[in-house]
Amino acid sequence: MQYTSAYQNMTDKALWNLAVKGDKKALSVLYKKHYELLLNFGLKYIADEELVKDCIQDIFVRFCTSSNLSQTDYVRSYLLTSLKHSISDKLSALKITEGLDAHLFDLKIEDSALEVLFKNNDEELRIGKQLMDAYKKLPDNQREAIYLRYVKGLSYKEIAAFLDITPQSSMNLVSRALSGLRSRMSLEDYLLALALFFS
Amino acid sequence: MEKEKLSLQHVVKTLISYAREQERRVAPEELDALWAEVEKRTEAERRRKSHRRIFYAAASSAAAIIFCAFLIGRQYISYCDDDSISEFAGQTWTHIPDGGEILLMMPGKKEVEVEQAANIVHSKEGIITVNTDTVGIEEETREKEVLFNQLIIPKGKRTYLTLADGTRLWANAGTRIVYPTRFKKRLREIYMEGEVYLDVARNEKAPFVVKTNDFQIQVLGTSFNVSAYPSENTASVVLVKGSVNVKSKGKEEVTLAPGQLVDIQTGKPGTPRNVNVEPYVCWIRNMLMFADEPLDKVFKKLNLYYGEDFVLGPGVAELRVSGKLDLKEKQEEVLHTISYSAPVIYEEKGGKIYIYRK
C-alpha cells in the first residue's frame, strides 16, 4: 500500500482539497481515518449498526461519484453533518420515527458500570451518578455538543460548523449545557463547570 | 472545597475516559474491506448514471433525440472497446496475498472462501456452485449494467472455474481473475493477473477476450495458457490448439498458430516461436517440467505452488536442471528429488527453506 505514506501526514483539509479535485485515494484515507468517529456518532443517533454502516457507505459513494464536492474548512464537521442527514433521510424513507427523538447521545454508562469505576470511593460514586443523571436530563443538542466536545475531542469551531452556528454560539451551547448540568446537581455548582473545562 | 474540586475532576475524567473506551472500534482489515465495497458501489453507480443520462435525454424532446442518437452511437462504440473491466481491476485490488484462502467476491454478496483445488461453476442459468454447494444466484441485472465477480488465488492454492458460457479456466497460484456477472451479447471479456490455462467455449458471435495489465488476447474458441505475473517482467502466451490474436497496449499484434509461444516484455510482443507446449501447460495436471533451466526459476515456481519461502545460497541459482516434478507429492519429496538430481542440499530453518550447494 504505497499510497498511505504520501497521504498519511496531510491535514484533513489538504486531503479534502485533493478529494474535491477527484482524488479517490485522498477520500479513502479520510474514510479510514474517520470511520470510527462516524460509526460511533451514528450509533448515538440510532442504535442500529447495519443502518449506520449503510449510511456511511452511502455518503462516501456519493462523494466518490459527485463531480462537484463543496469545499470545507472543517472536514470532520462536514462528514458528521452528511451522515446525520443521510441517517434521517433513511429513517424517514423507512418511516421509522421512534428511536430518533428519545435518548439521543445517551452515553450508556449504567449504574453498575459506575459502581465498578468508583468502587473504592463512595463520594465519587455519588458524584458520578449525579453527573450522569444530570447529563440524561439535558436537551438533545446539548448532549450532542458535550459528546462531540469531550468524548470525540472536536473543537468549538468544528462543533459550530457541524451545527451551522457561530463558534461563539457553540461555546455558549457547551457552557449552557454545562450550567444546565450544574443547576441540576445539588452540589458542586460552578466547580463542575471548571472541572469539565480543565479536564 | 479544594478536595471536592479534585474528586469532581477525577470523576469527570474517569467518566470521559470510560465513555471513550466504550466507543466501537473498527479493525484496519475491516476498514479495507468496507472501503473496497465503497469503490465497487461507486463503479456501479457511475455506470448506472451514464446510462440514465442518455435515457433522460432521449425522452425530453425531438431536438434532443437527434443529438442523442449521435450520443448513443458513440456510446455504443465506446461500449465495445470500453475498458471498464480493466478499470475495475485497477481499482479493486493492489496485490495478491502470499497466504490465506481462495476468495470468490461477488457484487452484493458475501465473500466466499473457497477450498483448495475446488471446482467453481457458473451455470448458464446463473447458479454459482463451489464443488456441490450453491453459493449464489446471479440476479437479472438492469440491462447494460455491468458488475464484476473477482476470484483471488493466493500462493500455494489453485482452483478451477467454469464460466456461464462453458469456458473452463485452470487458475494457478498467485492469480486473480475478474469477470462480469453476465457476459455481454457480443463480447465475452475477462481480466487476469497471474497464470491461467483456458479452454474457451466456441461462439463465433461473441469473441472471447482475455485482458491483462498490458496486453489482451482475442479468441473464438481454443485452448491456451497465459502467464502474466505482475512481479515478472516477461509474460507469455502459449497456444495449444485453435488460434489466438495477441494485442499489446501499443496496438502491436501477433497471431499464434498451435504450438507457438510469444513472450510479451514491457508490453511489447516478441516474435512467436515454436515450442513443446507440454512444459508450459502441464501444471494443470500438477506437474512441473523443466528443460535445462536455472534452479532459481524452479524455486520461484515452487514458491508459488507451496507458498513456502526458499532462500538460495551462493552458486545455487545458476545450476541448470531438466526433468519433471510431480507436485501431487509432498514438498519434502519434491525437494528430495531436486537434491538428488542437482548438487544441492536443503535445510529448514525459522520457517524458511535454505538451499545450499553441496
Side-chain angles (χ1 to χ4, degrees):
Chain A
M1 299 259 174
Q2 71 283 22
Y3 64 83
T4 40
S5 55
Y7 289 76
Q8 217 56 250
N9 298 325
M10 293 173 90
T11 63
D12 284 0
K13 200 181 158 184
L15 287 165
W16 188 260
N17 283 338
L18 287 176
V20 169
K21 290 184 190 121
D23 188 328
K24 295 284 168 292
K25 277 172 187 167
L27 265 181
S28 86
V29 174
L30 284 170
Y31 175 90
K32 289 173 188 176
K33 199 166 159 190
H34 297 307
Y35 191 88
E36 285 182 350
L37 168 71
L38 290 169
L39 178 61
N40 283 298
F41 171 82
L43 288 173
K44 295 287 178 297
Y45 235 80
I46 171 128
D48 180 338
E49 187 166 324
E50 283 314 302
L51 187 140
V52 173
K53 283 181 155 176
D54 279 352
C55 289
I56 299 175
Q57 300 300 75
D58 287 348
I59 63 173
F60 274 87
V61 169
R62 208 174 61 230
F63 294 156
C64 285
T65 47
S66 164
S67 52
N68 48 344
L69 278 180
S70 40
Q71 297 277 356
T72 177
D73 287 341
Y74 302 104
V75 178
R76 290 203 285 188
S77 314
Y78 187 87
L79 296 178
L80 291 168
T81 311
S82 307
L83 179 60
K84 195 172 173 178
H85 289 157
S86 171
I87 291 176
S88 44
D89 287 353
K90 187 153 275 182
L91 289 176
S92 62
L94 295 170
K95 301 211 164 44
I96 301 173
T97 43
E98 59 189 296
L100 241 201
D101 39 2
H103 296 293
L104 280 181
F105 297 93
D106 195 350
L107 286 178
K108 299 229 167 57
I109 303 182
E110 309 296 337
D111 279 0
S112 56
L114 291 176
E115 271 152 29
V116 176
L117 281 175
F118 304 111
K119 61 174 179 290
N120 298 323
N121 194 325
D122 289 346
E123 172 66 10
E124 289 191 347
L125 175 61
R126 191 181 57 78
I127 300 173
K129 279 185 178 170
Q130 270 183 330
L131 262 174
M132 290 317 297
D133 283 345
Y135 178 81
K136 278 182 196 142
K137 289 183 185 124
L138 288 175
D140 289 341
N141 65 342
Q142 296 187 6
R143 278 208 298 260
E144 189 174 31
I146 288 205
Y147 170 76
L148 290 176
R149 176 76 186 99
Y150 295 106
V151 181
K152 286 310 183 192
L154 264 68
S155 68
Y156 287 117
K157 284 183 178 170
E158 286 177 302
I159 295 176
F162 168 68
L163 297 169
D164 200 19
I165 53 179
T166 64
Q168 186 55 48
S169 339
S170 94
M171 273 167 103
N172 293 344
L173 183 66
V174 175
S175 56
R176 204 171 332 126
L178 294 176
S179 52
L181 278 178
R182 183 173 56 198
S183 68
R184 283 183 178 83
M185 288 184 61
S186 50
L187 300 169
E188 272 84 57
D189 43 35
Y190 72 97
L191 291 174
L192 168 67
L194 285 177
L196 275 169
F197 273 119
F198 295 119
S199 62
Chain B
M1 206 57 182
E2 209 37 42
K3 198 177 147 242
E4 263 179 11
K5 183 178 163 182
L6 280 178
S7 70
L8 180 59
Q9 261 185 7
H10 179 243
V11 171
V12 169
K13 274 187 184 158
T14 310
L15 288 176
I16 290 174
S17 71
Y18 180 75
R20 286 181 182 158
E21 278 167 29
Q22 293 307 299
E23 297 281 274
R24 180 84 162 69
R25 299 278 187 278
V26 184
E29 303 79 54
E30 195 186 341
L31 284 178
D32 287 340
L34 285 164
W35 177 256
E37 192 192 303
V38 170
E39 286 185 324
K40 214 187 275 177
R41 277 186 50 195
T42 300
E43 196 43 45
E45 186 70 14
R46 197 171 283 154
R47 220 142 280 290
R48 202 170 62 81
K49 267 192 185 164
S50 72
H51 296 313
R52 201 170 43 187
R53 208 177 296 141
I54 289 162
F55 174 73
Y56 284 155
S60 62
S61 77
I65 288 168
I66 298 164
F67 170 69
C68 173
F70 170 70
L71 242 186
I72 289 174
R74 291 229 10 209
Q75 176 73 12
Y76 183 68
I77 293 162
S78 69
Y79 203 65
C80 286
D81 60 27
D82 95 356
D83 212 5
S84 56
I85 195 163
S86 308
E87 229 172 76
F88 174 87
Q91 283 171 358
T92 48
W93 201 270
T94 44
H95 70 289
I96 294 159
D98 277 355
E101 298 302 316
I102 300 170
L103 286 182
L104 174 59
M105 297 185 274
M106 298 173 282
K109 300 187 180 76
K110 266 212 169 122
E111 261 179 30
V112 180
E113 281 192 0
V114 178
E115 62 184 274
Q116 158 71 335
N119 201 355
I120 304 168
V121 178
H122 291 257
S123 79
K124 227 169 36 195
E125 295 75 29
I127 298 161
I128 308 150
T129 53
V130 173
N131 292 336
T132 51
D133 303 335
T134 301
V135 296
I137 295 167
E138 296 295 2
E139 291 132 37
E140 272 312 324
T141 47
R142 262 173 291 249
E143 213 184 337
K144 284 192 173 174
E145 183 178 21
V146 188
L147 297 171
F148 300 105
N149 294 325
Q150 188 158 194
L151 183 62
I152 311 277
I153 301 110
K155 275 188 187 172
K157 305 278 166 158
R158 233 168 311 165
T159 192
Y160 314 102
L161 172 67
T162 306
L163 300 176
D165 67 333
T167 293
R168 300 189 65 197
L169 293 90
W170 284 253
N172 207 344
T175 295
R176 150 165 105 118
I177 304 172
V178 176
Y179 53 102
T181 54
R182 259 167 210 280
F183 283 126
K184 295 170 195 164
K185 267 214 178 92
R186 304 239 166 271
L187 181 64
R188 296 171 288 166
E189 202 174 44
I190 70 164
Y191 176 92
M192 61 150 286
E193 275 165 25
E195 185 163 27
V196 174
Y197 177 87
L198 294 102
D199 194 351
V200 175
R202 196 170 181 88
N203 179 355
E204 249 119 295
K205 288 184 188 130
F208 196 98
V209 172
V210 181
K211 290 191 165 173
T212 73
N213 192 33
D214 51 15
F215 62 97
Q216 65 173 52
I217 305 145
Q218 181 165 336
V219 301
L220 293 173
T222 167
S223 301
F224 61 107
N225 189 72
V226 187
S227 170
Y229 285 106
S231 55
E232 284 173 33
N233 55 12
T234 307
S236 72
V237 181
V238 177
L239 182 64
V240 178
K241 61 177 192 225
S243 155
V244 300
N245 183 281
V246 180
K247 192 156 97 185
S248 71
K249 264 203 175 146
K251 307 282 175 218
E252 288 167 272
E253 276 182 60
V254 293
T255 303
L256 294 188
Q260 281 192 323
L261 170 145
V262 66
D263 281 326
I264 298 108
Q265 209 160 6
T266 54
K268 272 174 94 89
T271 314
R273 55 191 159 96
N274 293 320
V275 293
N276 171 15
V277 298
E278 193 54 22
Y280 297 94
V281 302
C282 63
W283 65 267
I284 70 171
R285 289 186 299 276
N286 294 307
M287 302 287 288
L288 274 185
M289 262 173 84
F290 297 99
D292 192 33
E293 300 203 65
L295 268 186
D296 67 333
K297 197 169 167 186
V298 176
F299 281 107
K300 236 186 219 169
K301 289 247 158 133
L302 290 178
N303 165 257
L304 267 179
Y305 287 107
Y306 293 114
E308 196 88 47
D309 276 332
F310 298 99
V311 183
L312 306 189
V316 174
E318 305 79 38
L319 292 172
R320 299 185 90 85
V321 291
S322 298
K324 263 187 197 177
L325 293 173
D326 187 346
L327 299 171
K328 287 189 291 293
E329 288 180 343
K330 288 207 185 79
Q331 174 183 285
E332 177 82 20
E333 282 162 53
V334 171
L335 287 175
H336 189 76
T337 312
I338 296 174
S339 70
Y340 203 73
S341 37
V344 292
I345 47 168
Y346 61 93
E347 182 186 15
E348 202 178 331
K349 213 163 50 190
K352 288 183 180 175
I353 292 166
Y354 292 80
I355 318 286
Y356 300 111
R357 241 189 120 148
K358 245 180 224 165

